[in-house]
C-alpha cells in the first residue's frame, strides 16, 4: 500500500490545473470591491442562488451548513444528464455504478453505501422535487429540464425526509411557467449516440400552468462482446414528465408531477485485471505447467479457465473493452420507474404549510454473465419474473413560521414512508460449473498429476479413480470419488426463482428552529425522532441436488483423523454448495422482523461579523436504518446442511440482520460572499459507529457492522488462518480479535477540509474551484458488530487504512466564458471543467490488486448561440484525454486457485491468495455536437 505522503505527492504533481484555478480565484478580490454584498451567483449574471436545505428558501451564502448548489446553466454547460456528472463539479462527491445501474452508489467525503445489495439503504439518498427515491441509483436515470441540484454534505438527521448518514442530493426540476415557452435539442456523438430532448410550458388559464418534458436516448455500448456479436453498456431509454401548477391565490400553490422512465439496455460488463493495469497482480494470471499444479510463480486456476475455453489474452488485455462472455449469455436489463407527487403550499399569514405526497413504483430486471468470463460458471438469465422492485408511498408535512417579532424562525413537521421491496432472483451455476469446480479442486491439490479437463470428474479415466481410491483408503475413497462425480455433474443448477420480500414502515417527527439572538448571531437547533420497522420473508426454489448428495457422503469425513481427507471433503462440499445453493432449500420459507427507534438532530451557532462573512460551528447526529441482507449465502457457511441447525433455515434467519449506522459529526465553517466573488471553507470530523459494509469475497457477499475497539486487540483483527506461510498466520484466527462490549466505539472517522471558490468578474465569465482533503479511515482496532465480535478475516486489511473509493485529495475546477460576438446579439460559449483525484482503493476489502492510481478527467464544450439564446450549436467532449481507469475492481466470482502453504501468493501482497480479479471500467472519451432551440 502506498503511504499518504506518496499519494499526496503524486496528486499534487498531477493537479496543476486545479491548483492554478484555485490560485486564480483567490488572487482577484479587487474585482469584488464594489459589488453588492451577501449574494451567491449563477453562471450568467449576479442573480442570487436560493436553496432550501433547511426547509426554507434562503440565500446559499446565508446557510450555515456545507452545501453545493449547481445551477441550470452549469448543468447545461457540463452536459450533465444524470447525477454521475456532478463528480466534475463537487469535489466531495463521487457517484459510480458497477454491477447494476439500478444500485449505483453515491459517496460524500468518502462515505457511501458499498455493493450491489438492495437491502442496504443509501448513505447519500436522492430526492427529486422533495420526494425520496428508494435508492440513489435511481438518480442515474435521465432527469429532464432542471432548475438546480443541491448537494448537502454531512449527516442529515433532522430534515430531508429519510435520514441519511453522509449527505443527500436534492434535484429540483423546472416548474411550469405562466408564460408560453418551448425548448428542444438534438445531440449526436460517437458510439452512434443520439439524444433528443424537449419541453413545452405555458398557461392553461389565469391560475393554471402546465409543463411537459421529454428525453429519448440511444447509444451503442462501450464494450464489445464478440462471442455473441453485440455491444454492452449501451443506452436505450426515454423519459417523460408532466406537471400542473395551480395558483388560485397568492397564498395557495398546488404542484402536481407525474413522470415515467423506461430503459431497455445491456449492462454491466467487466474485464480481467492484468499486470499492465495493476502491478500487484504479479504472477496471478500466469498459467502453470500442465500437470504440475500451482507453483510459487503460477496459478492453476488460469490453466483451468484456459482449458475450458477462456482466451489467455483476456488476462493481460490492459484497458481493452473486448469482453469475455459465454455464448448465449446476456446482460439484458429492463427498468421501469414511474410515479406521481403533489406538493401543496399554503400561507396562513403567520405560518406556511407544505405537504408533499408521493407514490412511486420502480422495477429493474438485470441478466448477466456474472462470472465475467467465457467459461460458463455463474449467470442470471433474462426473465421478466427476475427483478428488484420498490413500491413506495411517502408523505411529508412541514409547518414553518416566525414568532417573537421575528426572533424565532420555527419549523415542525412529520414524515411517513411505506416501502415494499421485492427481489426475485434466478442466480444459477452455469453449464460448465461442475467441470470447472472439479478441475479447480484437482489442480489445487497434490492430485494435479491426474488433471484431465476433457474427462469426467476432470481426472484421467481409470487411473484417476483408482489413484483416488488408493490414496484415501476404503473408508473415505469411494465417498470422495462419488462426490467428485456429483460435483462434476452440476450443470445449469441453482435458484429457479428465489423471492425476497421486505416491507418497511418509517415515520418521524421533527422540528428545526433558528433563534436570531442578535442581528449577527443565530442559533439553530433541530431534533428528530424516527421509528423504523421492517418485516422480512423469503421463499427459495433450488434444484441443486448435488449439494445434498455430497454432504450426505462426506460429512463424517470432516472429522477424519487424516488432514488431507478433511481438506478434500471440505473442498468438495464447499464447491458443491457454494452460496448455500442447495435443493435442501427448495420450497423453504423464512421470515423475520426488526424495529428500531432513534433520536437525531443538529445544533449550529452562526455569526456574521460583517455582511459579507459568516462563520459557524455545528454538531449533527445522523443515522441510517438497519435491515436485512437479501442473500441466502449469508445464512450460514455452506459446509453443514441446514438440518444441522435447530429450526433449519428459519433458525438461521437472524444472521441476515444488520444494525443501524450512526454518526456524530462536527463542523467549523466560513462563507464569504461579495457579489461576484464567493469563498467557502469547512473543517469537518465525522465518527461512524456500526458502519454498514458490504463486501464480495469471491464467493459470497459479507455484510458487517464495522466498529472500533478502545482496547488493544494485539493483531487479532489482522491475522488469518488460511495461508500457513504468511507472517500473520494464526491457526486460531477465527477466535481472536474480540472486544469487550464496553470498549466498542466508532469504527470509521472521516475528517478534513473542503474549500470552494467562485469568481464572476464579468457577466460573461465565471470560474469555480474546489478542493477536498478527506482522510476517511478505519480505526486501528476493528470488530465486526456492536457486541465486539471478531472482524471477518476477509476484512483484515481494513484496520488503520482508508476506506474504498475514498481518495484523500480531490480538486475540481471549471471555466465558463460566454462572450458577445460583435453587436449582432450572438454569443459564444467556451467551457472547460476538470477533476483531479488522488490514489485510492476501489475494493471494500482493500486488496492491493484493487488499487487505482490518481488521475485527471477533463470535459470541454465550445459553441455559438443566437440572440437571447434562441438557438445554439455546441461541440463537446467528455473525458477528452481518454483517461482509462477502473470504477471498481472485484474478486472474479469463484475463480481462485490453490491455497498457498508458503510465503508465495499469501499476505501481504496477495491477501486473496491465487484469487484473480475483474474490473468495471469507467466510460471512455465521448464527443459530439448538440443543436438547441427555444422560443
Amino acid at each position: 500500500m502506498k503511504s499518504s505522503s506518496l499519494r499526496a505527492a503524486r496528486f499534487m504533481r498531477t493537479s496543476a490545473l486545479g491548483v492554478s484555478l484555485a490560485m486564480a480565484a483567490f488572487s482577484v478580490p479587487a474585482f469584488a470591491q464594489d459589488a453588492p454584498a451577501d449574494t451567491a451567483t449563477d453562471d450568467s449574471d449576479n442573480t442570487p442562488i436560493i436553496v432550501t436545505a433547511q426547509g426554507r428558501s434562503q440565500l446559499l451564502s446565508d446557510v450555515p451548513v456545507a452545501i453545493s448548489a449547481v445551477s441550470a446553466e452549469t448543468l447545461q454547460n457540463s452536459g450533465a444528464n444524470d447525477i454521475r456528472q456532478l463528480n466534475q463539479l463537487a469535489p466531495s462527491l463521487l457517484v459510480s455504478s458497477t454491477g447494476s445501474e439500478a444500485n449505483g452508489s453515491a459517496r460524500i467525503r468518502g462515505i457511501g453505501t458499498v455493493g450491489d445489495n438492495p437491502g442496504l439503504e443509501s448513505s447519500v439518498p436522492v430526492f427529486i422535487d422533495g420526494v425520496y427515491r428508494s435508492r440513489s441509483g435511481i438518480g442515474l436515470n435521465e432527469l429532464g429540464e432542471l432548475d438546480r441540484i443541491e448537494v448537502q454534505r454531512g449527516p442529515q438527521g433532522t430534515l430531508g425526509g429519510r435520514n441519511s448518514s453522509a449527505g443527500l442530493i436534492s434535484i429540483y426540476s423546472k416548474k411550469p411557467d405562466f408564460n408560453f415557452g418551448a425548448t428542444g435539442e438534438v445531440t449526436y456523438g460517437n458510439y452512434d449516440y443520439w439524444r433528443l430532448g424537449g419541453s413545452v410550458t405555458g398557461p392553461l388559464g389565469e391560475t393554471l400552468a402546465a409543463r411537459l418534458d421529454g428525453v429519448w436516448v440511444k447509444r451503442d455500448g462501450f464494450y464489445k462482446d464478440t462471442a455473441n456479436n453485440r455491444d454492452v453498456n449501451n443506452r436505450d431509454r426515454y423519459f417523460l414528465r408532466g406537471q400542473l401548477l395551480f395558483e388560485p391565490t397568492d397564498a395557495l400553490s398546488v404542484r402536481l408531477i407525474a413522470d415515467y422512465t423506461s430503459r431497455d439496455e445491456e449492462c454491466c460488463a467487466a474485464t480481467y485485471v492484468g499486470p499492465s493495469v495493476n502491478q500487484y497482480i504479479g504472477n496471478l494470471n500466469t498459467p502453470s505447467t500442465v500437470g504440475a499444479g500451482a507453483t510459487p510463480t503460477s496459478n492453476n486456476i488460469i490453466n483451468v479457465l484456459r482449458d475450458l475455453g477462456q482466451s489467455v489474452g483476456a488476462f493481460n488485455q490492459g484497458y481493452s473493452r473486448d469482453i469475455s462472455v459465454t455464448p448465449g449469455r446476456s446482460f439484458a436489463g429492463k427498468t421501469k420507474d414511474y410515479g406521481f407527487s403533489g406538493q401543496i403550499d399554503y400561507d396562513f399569514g403567520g405560518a406556511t404549510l407544505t405537504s408533499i405526497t408521493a407514490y412511486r413504483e420502480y422495477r429493474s430486471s438485470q441478466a448477466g454473465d456474472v462470472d465475467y468470463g467465457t467459461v460458463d460458471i455463474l449467470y442470471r438469465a433474462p426473465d421478466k419474473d427476475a427483478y428488484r422492485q420498490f413500491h413506495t408511498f411517502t408523505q411529508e408535512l412541514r409547518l414553518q413560521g416566525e414568532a417573537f417579532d421575528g426572533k424565532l424562525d420555527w419549523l415542525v413537521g412529520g414524515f411517513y414512508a411505506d416501502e415494499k421491496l421485492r427481489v426475485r432472483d434466478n442466480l444459477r451455476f452455469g453449464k460448465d460449473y461442475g467441470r470447472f469446480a472439479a478441475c479447480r479442486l484437482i489442480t489445487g491439490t497434490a492430485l494435479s498429476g491426474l488433471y484431465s479437463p476433457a474427462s469426467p470428474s476432470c481426472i484421467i479415466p481409470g487411473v484417476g479413480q483408482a489413484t483416488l481410491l488408493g490414496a484415501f483408503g476404503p473408508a473415505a475413497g469411494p465417498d470422495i470419488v462419488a462426490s467428485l462425480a456429483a460435483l462434476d455433474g452440476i450443470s445449469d443448477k441453482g435458484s429457479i426463482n428465489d423471492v425476497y420480500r421486505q416491507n418497511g414502515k418509517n415515520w418521524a417527527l421533527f422540528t428545526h428552529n433558528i433563534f436570531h439572538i442578535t442581528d449577527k448571531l443565530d442559533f439553530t437547533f433541530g431534533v428528530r425522532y424516527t421509528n423504523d420497522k421492517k418485516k422480512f420473508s423469503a421463499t427459495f426454489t433450488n434444484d441443486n441436488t448435488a449439494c445434498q448428495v455430497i454432504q450426505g457422503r462426506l460429512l463424517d469425513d470432516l472429522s477424519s483423523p487424516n488432514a488431507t481427507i478433511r481438506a478434500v471433503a471440505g473442498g468438495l462440499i464447499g464447491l458443491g454448495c457454494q452460496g448455500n445453493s442447495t435443493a435442501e432449500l427448495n420450497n423453504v420459507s423464512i421470515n423475520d422482523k426488526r424495529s428500531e427507534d432513534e433520536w437525531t438532530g443538529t445544533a449550529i451557532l452562526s455569526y456574521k461579523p460583517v455582511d459579507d462573512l459568516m462563520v459557524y460551528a455545528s454538531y449533527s447526529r445522523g443515522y441510517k436504518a438497519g435491515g436485512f441482507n437479501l442473500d441466502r449465502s449469508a445464512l450460514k457457511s455452506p459446509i453443514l446442511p441446514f438440518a444441522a441447525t435447530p429450526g433449519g433455515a428459519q433458525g438461521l434467519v437472524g444472521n441476515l440482520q444488520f444494525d443501524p449506522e450512526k454518526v456524530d459529526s462536527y463542523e467549523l465553517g466560513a462563507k464569504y460572499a461579495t457579489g461576484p466573488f464567493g469563498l467557502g471553507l469547512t473543517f469537518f470530523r465525522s465518527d461512524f459507529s456500526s458502519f454498514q459494509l458490504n463486501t464480495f469475497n469471491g464467493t459470497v457477499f459479507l455484510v458487517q457492522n464495522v466498529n472500533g475497539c478502545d482496547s488493544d486487540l494485539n493483531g487479532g483483527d489482522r491475522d488469518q488462518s488460511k495461508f500457513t506461510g504468511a507472517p500473520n498466520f494464526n491457526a486460531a484466527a477465527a477466535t481472536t480479535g474480540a472486544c469487550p462490549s464496553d470498549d466498542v466505539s466508532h469504527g470509521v472517522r472521516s475528517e478534513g477540509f473542503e474549500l470552494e471558490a467562485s469568481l464572476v468578474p464579468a457577466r460573461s465569465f465565471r470560474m469555480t474551484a474546489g478542493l477536498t482533503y478527506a482522510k476517511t479511515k478505519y480505526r486501528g482496532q476493528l470488530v465486526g458488530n456492536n457486541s465486539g465480535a471478531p472482524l471477518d478475516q476477509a476484512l483484515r486489511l481494513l484496520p488503520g487504512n482508508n476506506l474504498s473509493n475514498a481518495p484523500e485529495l480531490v480538486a475540481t475546477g471549471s471555466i465558463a466564458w460566454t462572450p458577445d460576438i460583435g453587436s449582432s446579439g450572438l454569443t459564444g460559449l467556451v467551457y472547460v471543467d476538470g477533476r483531479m483525484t488522488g490514489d485510492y482503493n476501489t475494493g471494500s476489502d482493500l486488496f492491493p490488486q484493487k488499487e487505482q492510481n490518481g488521475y485527471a478527467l477533463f470535459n470541454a464544450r465550445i459553441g455559438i448561440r443566437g440572440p437571447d439564446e434562441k438557438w445554439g450549436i455546441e461541440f463537446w467532449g467528455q473525458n477528452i484525454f481518454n483517461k482509462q481507469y477502473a470504477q471498481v475492481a472485484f474478486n472474479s466470482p469463484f475463480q481462485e486457485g490453490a491455497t498457498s502453504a508458503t510465503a508465495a501468493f499469501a499476505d501481504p501482497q496477495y491477501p486473496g491468495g491465487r484469487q484473480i480479479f475483474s474490473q468495471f471500467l469507467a466510460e471512455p472519451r465521448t464527443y459530439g455536437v448538440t443543436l438547441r432551440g427555444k422560443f
Side-chain angles (χ1 to χ4, degrees):
M1 303 289 284
K2 298 181 180 70
S3 69
S4 298
S5 60
L6 286 175
R7 285 196 298 266
R10 172 177 286 176
F11 175 82
M12 296 308 292
R13 289 196 300 270
T14 60
S15 59
L17 176 61
V19 173
S20 64
L21 287 173
M23 291 176 64
F26 302 152
S27 63
V28 286
F31 285 107
Q33 287 178 357
D34 299 323
D38 226 9
T39 60
T41 61
D42 69 16
D43 289 357
S44 56
D45 52 31
N46 290 340
T47 304
I49 294 179
I50 304 299
V51 297
T52 56
Q54 296 194 116
R56 310 154 173 85
S57 295
Q58 297 173 284
L59 288 171
L60 176 64
S61 56
D62 286 344
V63 181
V65 297
I67 177 174
S68 300
V70 184
S71 68
E73 185 82 5
T74 299
L75 292 168
Q76 178 175 300
N77 288 339
S78 68
N81 299 320
D82 61 46
I83 63 174
R84 266 175 299 210
Q85 284 146 311
L86 293 176
N87 292 342
Q88 295 294 106
L89 307 172
S92 294
L93 175 68
L94 177 63
V95 181
S96 61
S97 61
T98 52
S100 167
E101 289 209 346
N103 213 40
S105 176
R107 294 172 174 82
I108 289 179
R109 297 171 177 171
I111 298 293
T113 300
V114 177
D116 188 17
N117 190 327
L120 279 76
E121 296 180 4
S122 301
S123 299
V124 183
V126 170
F127 291 78
I128 301 180
D129 291 318
V131 177
Y132 168 73
R133 300 303 179 94
S134 293
R135 297 297 181 266
S136 59
I138 294 172
L140 300 179
N141 289 333
E142 293 290 324
L143 300 174
E145 291 279 328
L146 298 179
D147 178 68
R148 71 187 187 280
I149 297 178
E150 299 175 11
V151 180
Q152 298 179 52
R153 308 187 295 274
Q156 307 298 313
T158 308
L159 300 169
R162 292 294 289 264
N163 289 278
S164 63
S165 58
L168 62 84
I169 300 172
S170 295
I171 300 169
Y172 297 92
S173 65
K174 286 188 175 180
K175 293 182 178 180
D177 199 304
F178 283 92
N179 297 311
F180 179 78
T183 66
E185 70 173 63
V186 178
T187 295
Y188 182 75
N190 60 334
Y191 293 96
D192 201 22
Y193 172 56
W194 284 98
R195 185 178 191 271
L196 307 179
S199 69
V200 60
T201 186
L204 299 179
E206 292 186 358
T207 60
L208 183 65
R211 182 181 186 91
L212 179 66
D213 296 277
V215 179
W216 174 82
V217 178
K218 194 160 188 177
R219 190 205 67 207
D220 293 341
F222 296 136
Y223 291 99
K224 184 63 178 177
D225 171 12
T226 55
N228 297 287
N229 193 29
R230 65 178 188 267
D231 48 65
V232 181
N233 284 41
N234 65 329
R235 290 282 183 271
D236 188 355
R237 58 181 65 175
Y238 65 87
F239 165 81
L240 293 171
R241 179 172 58 224
Q243 301 185 60
L244 292 174
L245 180 62
F246 179 54
E247 295 183 339
T249 69
D250 292 340
L252 177 64
S253 174
V254 179
R255 185 184 183 192
L256 303 178
I257 306 173
D259 65 89
Y260 183 89
T261 295
S262 174
R263 294 162 53 171
D264 187 356
E265 302 169 348
E266 297 210 26
C267 188
C268 299
T271 63
Y272 287 108
V273 182
S276 63
V277 170
N278 185 303
Q279 63 178 325
Y280 296 107
I281 293 295
N283 290 315
L284 270 177
N285 296 354
T286 302
S288 301
T289 303
V290 176
T295 72
T297 59
S298 66
N299 192 348
N300 60 294
I301 205 67
I302 303 298
N303 292 51
V304 173
L305 293 169
R306 177 200 63 200
D307 295 340
L308 295 181
Q310 177 65 56
S311 168
V312 293
F315 299 115
N316 192 20
Q317 67 179 53
Y319 289 105
S320 167
R321 294 174 187 270
D322 291 331
I323 56 175
S324 300
V325 182
T326 302
R329 297 294 177 221
S330 167
F331 289 92
K334 292 185 178 182
T335 298
K336 306 291 184 186
D337 176 25
Y338 56 92
F340 59 86
S341 66
Q343 177 170 336
I344 302 173
D345 295 285
Y346 186 75
D347 188 349
F348 291 99
T352 300
L353 175 69
T354 297
S355 170
I356 303 176
T357 307
Y359 177 77
R360 301 207 58 82
E361 294 194 6
Y362 176 89
R363 176 184 284 202
S364 177
S365 63
Q366 185 65 67
D369 186 1
V370 292
D371 53 64
Y372 304 100
T374 300
V375 184
D376 195 14
I377 301 171
L378 196 65
Y379 78 100
R380 286 186 173 94
D383 187 340
K384 64 182 179 63
D385 290 325
Y387 54 80
R388 60 183 61 180
Q389 174 180 278
F390 291 92
H391 289 182
T392 308
F393 170 81
T394 58
Q395 173 66 58
E396 183 172 1
L397 288 172
R398 298 194 305 265
L399 187 65
Q400 185 255 330
E402 294 184 347
F404 308 115
D405 296 325
K407 290 291 186 181
L408 172 63
D409 183 346
W410 56 267
L411 184 153
V412 295
F415 177 80
Y416 174 78
D418 186 339
E419 179 181 271
K420 293 179 172 60
L421 166 61
R422 176 172 292 190
V423 176
R424 301 177 73 109
D425 196 12
N426 60 347
L427 181 67
R428 294 176 68 80
F429 295 128
K431 292 181 179 179
D432 298 330
Y433 177 78
R435 182 59 50 85
F436 163 81
C439 291
R440 170 180 160 175
L441 180 75
I442 292 298
T443 61
T445 65
L447 303 171
S448 59
L450 302 177
Y451 176 58
S452 179
S455 302
S457 299
C458 198
I459 54 178
I460 301 172
V463 175
Q465 287 84 351
T467 302
L468 293 177
L469 290 171
F472 296 114
D479 288 339
I480 288 175
V481 169
S483 296
L484 183 61
L487 175 64
D488 183 63
I490 298 177
S491 178
D492 198 12
K493 301 293 183 181
S495 294
I496 301 168
N497 199 295
D498 295 341
V499 181
Y500 300 86
R501 306 174 188 87
Q502 179 178 281
N503 295 340
K505 296 183 186 296
N506 177 289
W507 62 268
L509 299 174
F510 55 85
T511 180
H512 188 273
N513 308 283
I514 304 174
F515 300 89
H516 303 294
I517 301 172
T518 70
D519 291 342
K520 297 179 179 293
L521 182 65
D522 287 349
F523 175 67
T524 302
F525 176 75
V527 66
R528 179 187 185 106
Y529 171 79
T530 300
N531 177 272
D532 187 273
K533 294 181 179 179
K534 291 184 174 72
K535 291 183 178 179
F536 164 82
S537 64
T539 301
F540 304 103
T541 52
N542 197 290
D543 58 4
N544 180 26
T545 56
C547 172
Q548 292 173 287
V549 170
I550 297 171
Q551 285 176 329
R553 287 185 172 276
L554 296 180
L555 283 178
D556 58 334
D557 293 309
L558 294 175
S559 57
S560 169
N562 186 309
T564 301
I565 291 176
R566 294 197 305 270
V568 172
L572 284 165
I573 296 175
L575 290 168
C577 306
Q578 291 266 32
N580 289 319
S581 179
T582 171
E584 187 185 7
L585 282 180
N586 194 44
N587 294 322
V588 171
S589 296
I590 58 176
N591 63 84
D592 202 359
K593 61 183 179 179
R594 59 176 290 116
S595 177
E596 58 199 41
D597 303 89
E598 193 66 33
W599 289 93
T600 56
T602 188
I604 308 171
L605 190 65
S606 59
Y607 179 63
K608 298 193 75 169
V610 295
D611 288 343
D612 299 338
L613 175 65
M614 179 182 67
V615 295
Y616 66 92
S618 69
Y619 165 77
S620 296
R621 171 77 167 177
Y623 153 80
K624 184 175 74 165
F628 295 91
N629 182 2
L630 306 185
D631 187 347
R632 56 170 157 72
S633 67
L635 286 167
K636 65 170 185 62
S637 161
I639 301 302
L640 296 178
F642 284 93
T645 299
Q650 181 61 38
L652 295 161
V653 69
N655 293 336
L656 300 182
Q657 289 203 32
F658 54 87
D659 291 325
E661 180 177 294
K662 303 174 185 178
V663 55
D664 293 291
S665 185
Y666 309 85
E667 291 187 3
L668 292 173
K671 294 185 178 184
Y672 178 76
T674 173
F677 179 65
L679 177 66
L681 175 63
T682 305
F683 294 91
F684 61 88
R685 171 180 283 185
S686 300
D687 291 334
F688 291 80
S689 301
S690 296
F691 178 73
Q692 295 171 2
L693 182 66
N694 186 33
T695 302
F696 180 63
N697 68 359
T699 302
V700 300
F701 284 93
L702 305 171
V703 176
Q704 282 208 303
N705 288 107
V706 178
N707 280 301
C709 183
D710 292 335
S711 54
D712 190 352
L713 298 178
N714 297 313
D717 54 347
R718 308 176 193 222
D719 58 9
Q720 51 80 33
S721 57
K722 184 174 182 178
F723 306 114
T724 57
N728 61 342
F729 174 75
N730 179 359
T735 62
T736 63
C739 178
S741 58
D742 291 342
D743 289 344
V744 175
S745 60
H746 71 275
V748 171
R749 170 169 289 175
S750 177
E751 59 184 351
F753 68 86
E754 298 161 323
L755 189 63
E756 292 183 314
S758 64
L759 173 67
V760 189
R763 184 188 65 84
S764 63
F765 189 83
R766 178 180 178 86
M767 298 176 63
T768 68
L771 176 68
T772 294
Y773 173 77
K775 200 171 187 65
T776 305
K777 296 184 64 174
Y778 294 102
R779 292 185 63 188
Q781 315 286 331
L782 295 181
V783 292
N785 62 20
N786 291 338
S787 302
L791 190 71
D792 191 282
Q793 290 183 43
L795 306 178
R796 61 188 180 276
L797 294 188
L798 271 56
N801 281 316
N802 288 358
L803 272 68
S804 62
N805 289 286
E808 290 187 6
L809 283 165
V810 177
T812 60
S814 69
I815 296 175
W817 184 36
T818 55
D820 292 333
I821 301 177
S823 58
S824 63
L826 298 178
T827 57
L829 169 66
V830 178
Y831 175 84
V832 179
D833 66 42
R835 178 184 176 101
M836 285 63 69
T837 300
D839 298 351
Y840 60 95
N841 195 302
T842 68
S844 52
D845 53 15
L846 302 183
F847 285 7
Q849 289 77 19
K850 302 174 184 180
E851 284 192 359
Q852 172 61 55
N853 291 333
Y855 55 88
L857 297 177
F858 296 93
N859 303 326
R861 187 171 293 252
I862 186 170
I864 186 171
R865 298 167 173 177
D868 299 321
E869 298 187 21
K870 294 296 185 181
W871 58 267
I873 179 170
E874 301 168 4
F875 298 91
W876 53 266
Q878 303 277 84
N879 187 10
I880 58 177
F881 297 113
N882 201 29
K883 178 61 183 177
Q884 304 285 355
Y885 64 100
Q887 292 191 88
V888 169
F890 58 96
N891 297 22
S892 304
F894 302 165
Q895 296 165 62
E896 180 183 355
T899 300
S900 176
T902 68
F905 292 106
D907 293 53
Q909 180 175 341
Y910 297 100
R914 288 185 172 87
Q915 169 70 55
I916 61 174
F917 299 90
S918 301
Q919 59 188 347
F920 296 112
L921 298 177
E923 294 187 357
R925 174 172 52 215
T926 56
Y927 50 87
V929 60
T930 297
L931 304 177
R932 303 184 192 275
K934 70 176 182 178
F935 58 90

